[in-house]
Amino acid sequence: MSGLPVAGYDGTLLDRGDAGAAPGTVRAKTGTLLGVHALAGTVVTTDGRLLSFAVLADGSADELAAESALDDVAAALAGCGCR
């Protein structure tokens, strides 16, 4: 999935995620509608496994909380040693 913004580096993910903990591990596309926030893309786990993911927060009145929750899911996947 080349061309997707990288968490902590560019695009709509420039200021999202903890790039210091795992720079370049999350490549994703954001999506927003009124009260709906989404994040979908790929992540490389700590053991080098490539995962794809799609998460959605619906009905959120707090934009920052919704984005943070989605970022937490991506970070949890990046930190996973899932074998």
Side-chain angles (χ1 to χ4, degrees):
M1 293 187 117
S2 64
L4 292 176
V6 179
Y9 287 113
D10 60 3
T12 53
L13 296 179
L14 178 65
D15 297 323
R16 290 179 59 179
D18 185 359
T25 61
V26 176
R27 295 178 181 270
K29 177 72 177 106
T30 60
T32 58
L33 294 170
L34 186 60
V36 180
H37 301 273
L39 187 64
T42 62
V43 60
V44 178
T45 65
T46 57
D47 60 3
R49 190 174 192 179
L50 179 66
L51 303 176
S52 61
F53 68 94
V55 290
L56 177 78
D58 185 17
S60 174
D62 185 342
E63 181 176 329
L64 292 178
E67 288 179 358
S68 179
L70 297 177
D71 293 347
D72 288 349
V73 171
L77 291 172
C80 179
C82 301
R83 292 193 190 251

